Amino acid sequence: MLEWTEEEAKPSERKLVVFTLGDERYAVDVKHVESIERMLPITRVPEAPAHVRGVVNLRGVVVPVVDLRRKLGLSPGEAAEEARLLVVRDGELLVGLVVDGAEDVVDVPEAAIVPPPAVATTVRSAYVEGIVRRDEALIVLLDLSRVLTDEERASAARAREAAEEGGR
């Protein structure tokens, strides 16, 4: 005899943080997001990759900051008051992602997430986990584990360590 529980009957859902880059909407899984902050003063770090803006002091913790527009190969945007720092955990490393604005936290059924179309594959699409269909809108779901390479993680960790050393 099959047993059916109410929990099994519910479609599986994911909780996503939705943000904007230009006119496009993107999302990351909320389990990676530590906080969403207003922009903080960024300290430049010498010899950092172009998409690494520098580091910020977030409540006593030095956090490397990545310009997500640059990382994804998008055109630079104007510094806007709505810009936010999406602080995410990538393994052991906290990283601040500069986004144009944070919109909402939404529950999305797994069935609403589809793979990116094969014709849209580029180097940048390697960062895409899927496309979310929500109402009439499409949201690009990023895979944070692919956004930063191992070399970039090491570079961000070095930038954090250099800033911490400079502060002592």
Side-chain angles (χ1 to χ4, degrees), residues 3-161:
E3 291 186 20
W4 189 281
T5 66
E6 187 174 306
E7 190 170 77
E8 289 170 341
K10 293 180 184 174
S12 119
E13 288 191 340
R14 289 183 56 188
K15 194 172 284 289
L16 306 176
V17 175
V18 179
F19 58 91
T20 57
L21 292 173
D23 294 332
E24 302 297 322
R25 296 170 74 204
Y26 292 82
V28 294
D29 199 302
V30 74
K31 69 183 175 188
H32 299 294
V33 179
E34 295 285 320
S35 66
I36 300 171
E37 308 288 336
R38 291 189 186 278
M39 287 304 297
L40 300 166
I42 298 174
T43 303
R44 303 287 275 142
V45 177
E47 300 181 31
H51 60 273
V52 177
R53 282 213 191 158
V55 294
V56 296
N57 181 347
L58 181 63
R59 295 181 283 283
V61 177
V62 177
V63 177
V65 176
V66 171
D67 186 329
L68 198 52
R69 276 179 168 272
R70 281 189 180 169
K71 177 64 184 175
L72 298 178
L74 303 173
S75 61
E78 297 292 320
E81 193 173 315
E82 298 83 27
R84 294 290 181 263
L85 200 58
L86 193 64
V87 181
V88 298
R89 182 165 298 281
D90 185 26
E92 295 297 309
L93 185 65
L94 275 182
V95 178
L97 302 175
V98 177
V99 300
D100 294 345
E103 285 194 356
D104 205 356
V105 176
V106 297
D107 293 316
V108 175
E110 285 285 348
I113 303 171
V114 297
V119 295
T121 56
T122 66
V123 173
R124 289 183 293 273
S125 65
Y127 309 138
V128 177
E129 179 180 337
I131 306 295
V132 178
R133 294 177 294 198
R134 184 162 167 79
D135 303 322
E136 296 299 315
L138 296 178
I139 302 168
V140 178
L141 176 59
L142 296 178
D143 182 342
L144 283 182
S145 68
R146 296 185 207 158
V147 171
L148 291 180
T149 65
D150 289 340
E151 182 179 316
E152 290 166 336
R153 283 183 190 88
S155 176
R158 284 192 301 275
R160 185 191 71 226
E161 290 165 7

